[in-house]
Every structure is written in structure tokens, then in C-alpha cells.
């Protein structure tokens, strides 16, 4: 089955700097790659997603890139702010069964 | 729209007791999922369903059972609670349409003592 690996597990950045989180997946049939943000004590919420027919997608300060050949995708957060502090999860999904597999998560801490 | 609703929000169980975590969605989603999240850890898939009457195991199904008799409801059953099942449980759902967002419930915090 699908295996999603996520790195790093923790990331500390200075406010205003950029943060990058990387994920790899094993199932070449995966074709949907969402990123979720989870604030302390709350449910995960989608922040951005990318489909396999697209290499890059941007939404204001966040962007996601996908390399299907290498089977990896990354989340980029620019101009980080304290409210970006949270746990971020990548995930991968295939059409065949709809199973959504998550990475282990990255704790991002933005220090003022 | 209520989205995905989980009940209860909190529960303390004694070892060996049983309970059912309820999950309901009103978005007519075919896919539904149960995840558990241990403190400081990621989301591990327990069971999932692609439609009424169809369920399948995820990574950590032992000690749990599910059923999907309707599109709306996807209850998770714990038969003999063990301390290792202390966790936060999230239910999620998504559309059968290709490549769409999964929506999460607010979670159930379960403690087994």
C-alpha cells in the first residue's frame, strides 16, 4: 500500500523567513496530494492541494510543488508569521480505493 | 451544513469496557475514514469506507470494528478497551469525485484507564 514519508519532524524558523516541508510517496498511482494544517487541540484543515497533472500551485504565501517522476512533493511557506505555527501534514491519495494516507507531520514553530 | 459531526467529544472508559464513536456527515460523501492521533504523533488510518456496505482496514485496525449501513453514518466500535487505545479519534469524509478535500470532524478524545 501507499507509504508517505515527511521531513523534517520539527522546524523552527524566524518570523519572515521561509519554511519548506518535504514528502515522498511510494504508490505511483497516487494522484492527489493535499496539505493539512492542525492547530493545537483542533482538527486538521486543508490549506492547499495539488493534483498529479500540475507541477506547482500557489495560494498567497503558500505553494506546493510536485515531482511525479521522483515521487515527492513539498510545501513552501514564505514570509512566515507566528500564526503559521502549527503541525502540518502531507497526504497522498489514489483513485482506486480513495484511501487517504498521511505523513507523520511537521511541527512548525515561528519565533518572533 | 453541519459537515462532519462526531460524538462524544470526550470519554473516559475503563479497561475492558466497550463503546461506539459516532460519526455522521451531511455532504453526501461516499468516502469516510477513521483516524487515530496519539499525542504528538500523526494520523493513523484505522478503517475506511468507499460507500454504504463497503469497508476496509487501514494501518491499525486491531481492536476496532466499523459498519456503514448508510451513506451518512460511519460508527467506530471498540469492543474491549485497552490503555493503548487512549487517543484522539478523527472521522473524515470526502466526495467520490476525483481528488477532492477530506473534511474532518472535531475529534473524540478517549482515555482508557
Amino acid at each position: 500500500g501507499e507509504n508517505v514519508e515527511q521531513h523534517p519532524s520539527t522546524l523552527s524558523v524566524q518570523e519572515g523567513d521561509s519554511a519548506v516541508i518535504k514528502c515522498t510517496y511510494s504508490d505511483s498511482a497516487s494522484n492527489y496530494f493535499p496539505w493539512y494544517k492542525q492547530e493545537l487541540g483542533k482538527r486538521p484543515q486543508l490549506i492547499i492541494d495539488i493534483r498529479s497533472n500540475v507541477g506547482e500551485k500557489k495560494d498567497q504565501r503558500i505553494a506546493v510543488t510536485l515531482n511525479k517522476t521522483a515521487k515527492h512533493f513539498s510545501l513552501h511557506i514564505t514570509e512566515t508569521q507566528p500564526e503559521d505555527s502549527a503541525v502540518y501534514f502531507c497526504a497522498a491519495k489514489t483513485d482506486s480505493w480513495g484511501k487517504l494516507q498521511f505523513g507523520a507531520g511537521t511541527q512548525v514553530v515561528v519565533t518572533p | 451544513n453541519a459537515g462532519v459531526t462526531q460524538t462524544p467529544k470526550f470519554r473516559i472508559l475503563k479497561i475492558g469496557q466497550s463503546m461506539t464513536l459516532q460519526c455522521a456527515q451531511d455532504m453526501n460523501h461516499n468516502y469516510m475514514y477513521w483516524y487515530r492521533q496519539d499525542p504528538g504523533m500523526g494520523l493513523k488510518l484505522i478503517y475506511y469506507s468507499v460507500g454504504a456496505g463497503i469497508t476496509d482496514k487501514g494501518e491499525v485496525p486491531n481492536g476496532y470494528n466499523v459498519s456503514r449501513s448508510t451513506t451518512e453514518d460511519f460508527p467506530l466500535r471498540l469492543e474491549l478497551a485497552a490503555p493503548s487505545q487512549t487517543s484522539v479519534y478523527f472521522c473524515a469524509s470526502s466526495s467520490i469525485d476525483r481528488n477532492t478535500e477530506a473534511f474532518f470532524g472535531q475529534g473524540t478524545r478517549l482515555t482508557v484507564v
Side-chain angles (χ1 to χ4, degrees):
Chain A
E2 176 67 276
N3 183 42
V4 179
E5 294 193 357
Q6 182 172 348
H7 300 281
S9 56
T10 58
L11 182 59
S12 186
V13 295
Q14 204 77 17
E15 183 177 357
D17 288 349
S18 294
V20 180
I21 304 169
K22 298 183 178 182
C23 288
T24 60
Y25 61 98
S26 60
D27 188 347
S28 56
S30 291
N31 55 9
Y32 175 62
F33 308 93
W35 286 88
Y36 283 79
K37 177 182 180 182
Q38 186 180 30
E39 295 175 346
L40 191 62
K42 298 201 173 170
R43 75 189 83 185
Q45 294 202 293
L46 183 79
I47 54 170
I48 194 166
D49 55 14
I50 191 166
R51 290 151 178 84
S52 58
N53 58 344
V54 174
E56 185 175 355
K57 183 176 177 182
K58 254 185 119 168
D59 183 3
Q60 298 182 337
R61 295 187 298 107
I62 59 172
V64 57
T65 58
L66 171 65
N67 183 327
K68 282 207 72 181
T69 305
K71 289 191 276 188
H72 67 70
F73 56 113
S74 301
L75 178 73
H76 304 252
I77 307 173
T78 57
E79 300 171 25
T80 53
Q81 299 167 5
E83 53 263 38
D84 295 328
S85 295
V87 178
Y88 292 80
F89 293 98
C90 64
K93 184 181 173 192
T94 63
D95 274 347
S96 54
W97 286 107
K99 191 160 69 171
L100 185 61
Q101 195 76 24
F102 282 85
T106 297
Q107 173 78 59
V108 173
V109 177
V110 180
T111 51
Chain B
N1 265 353
V4 181
T5 303
Q6 288 182 240
T7 55
K9 288 186 182 177
F10 304 94
R11 184 73 187 267
I12 298 174
L13 274 184
K14 293 187 177 175
I15 294 171
Q17 285 186 320
S18 301
M19 78 164 293
T20 299
L21 281 67
Q22 301 290 347
C23 176
Q25 53 89 10
D26 61 0
M27 297 173 281
N28 201 32
H29 284 170
N30 285 78
Y31 296 148
M32 294 189 75
Y33 313 85
W34 274 106
Y35 293 91
R36 61 175 285 173
Q37 186 174 35
D38 298 336
M41 303 291 283
L43 296 153
K44 292 198 179 294
L45 184 63
I46 306 172
Y47 272 95
Y48 68 106
S49 170
V50 300
I54 307 170
T55 63
D56 204 354
K57 296 177 181 178
E59 302 168 79
V60 291
N62 291 346
Y64 307 94
N65 274 303
V66 294
S67 59
R68 184 96 182 268
S69 55
T70 67
T71 299
E72 294 77 21
D73 300 298
F74 190 41
L76 178 72
R77 179 87 180 153
L78 283 72
E79 286 297 345
L80 290 169
S84 60
Q85 293 177 305
T86 294
S87 191
V88 178
Y89 292 83
F90 286 102
C91 178
S93 73
S94 66
S95 170
I96 199 170
D97 293 336
R98 290 178 64 181
N99 305 329
T100 57
E101 176 182 358
F103 293 86
F104 282 80
Q106 79 273 31
T108 295
R109 187 175 296 274
L110 176 68
T111 303
V112 182
V113 295

